[in-house]
């Protein structure tokens, strides 16, 4: 594993295929595109993959003690009802430790502010000689994000699972 160390924290070398994959919530995508006659845009380096999964490339991975902070780039914006529904997931970050994890998004009006979107049902990703991998990690809507989703989903609502892959240099 190649790491750059400044005292603490450790920054991990990033490979091009490193990413967060998340479909947000299938019923949301269906509602926006088919019922509400809206749409979504993918921007800033994020891409849409097969099955409505959005892939956000890794910008930075930092280990601080037992915790990891993964910062990703790109955005997906769901807009419907003539702009009355406007949900932006931008430059998501995941902070995870041995017993907790959260996925947060940057808030549109304040690029320095993060909003916790979902709690992760698993802690640290599995590590092997190839890197760190999470696959199909269950998520639940965080109380702070209820308003982001227009109060349609209550706190604790199951959202789409996330997957992360981060290759580590040997």
């Amino acid at each position: 594993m190649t790491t750059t160390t400044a005292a603490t924290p450790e920054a991990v070398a990033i490979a091009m295929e490193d990413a967060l994959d998340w479909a947000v919530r299938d019923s949301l995508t269906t509602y926006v595109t088919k019922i509400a006659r809206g749409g979504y845009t993918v921007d800033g380096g994020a891409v849409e993959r097969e099955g409505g999964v959005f892939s956000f490339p890794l910008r930075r991975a930092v280990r601080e003690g037992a915790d990891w902070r993964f910062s990703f780039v790109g955005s997906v914006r769901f807009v419907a009802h003539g702009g009355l529904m406007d949900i932006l997931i931008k430059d998501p970050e995941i902070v995870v430790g041995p017993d907790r994890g959260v996925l947060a998004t940057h808030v549109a009006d304040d690029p320095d502010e993060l909003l916790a979107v979902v709690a992760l049902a698993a802690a640290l990703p599995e590590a092997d000689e190839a890197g760190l991998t999470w696959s199909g990690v269950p998520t639940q809507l965080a109380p702070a994000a209820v308003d982001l989703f227009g109060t349609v989903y209550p706190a604790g609502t199951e959202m789409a699972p996330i997957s992360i892959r981060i290759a580590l240099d040997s």
Side-chain angles (χ1 to χ4, degrees), residues 96-119:
V96 63
D99 57 355
R100 61 175 173 71
V102 66
L103 181 147
T105 183
H106 286 269
V107 178
D109 343 1
D110 184 351
D112 295 325
E113 184 181 345
L114 282 170
L115 174 70
V117 177
V118 293

Side-chain angles (χ1 to χ4, degrees), residues 4-22:
T4 307
T5 307
T8 339
E10 294 178 51
V12 177
I14 298 170
M16 293 303 290
E17 68 277 357
D18 298 341
L20 159 69
D21 292 334
W22 189 37

Side-chain angles (χ1 to χ4, degrees), residues 5-64:
T5 307
T8 339
E10 294 178 51
V12 177
I14 298 170
M16 293 303 290
E17 68 277 357
D18 298 341
L20 159 69
D21 292 334
W22 189 37
V24 186
R25 184 169 166 94
D26 290 341
S27 64
L28 173 68
T29 304
T30 300
Y31 176 79
V32 167
T33 59
K34 295 184 178 165
I35 298 170
R37 296 189 178 146
Y40 56 86
T41 56
V42 180
D43 198 16
V47 295
E48 183 178 7
R49 300 209 185 276
E50 189 175 321
V53 173
F54 304 102
S55 188
F56 301 87
L58 182 68
R59 175 186 330 162
R60 186 167 185 219
V62 176
R63 186 173 183 181
E64 297 174 340

Side-chain angles (χ1 to χ4, degrees), residues 66-123:
D67 293 345
W68 282 92
R69 176 179 293 271
F70 303 106
S71 301
F72 302 89
V73 296
S75 66
V76 60
R77 176 174 239 142
F78 298 90
V79 178
H81 303 297
L84 294 175
M85 173 188 268
D86 188 350
I87 301 167
L88 175 65
I89 307 295
K90 181 179 179 190
D91 298 335
E93 294 198 13
I94 290 181
V95 178
V96 63
D99 57 355
R100 61 175 173 71
V102 66
L103 181 147
T105 183
H106 286 269
V107 178
D109 343 1
D110 184 351
D112 295 325
E113 184 181 345
L114 282 170
L115 174 70
V117 177
V118 293
L120 307 177

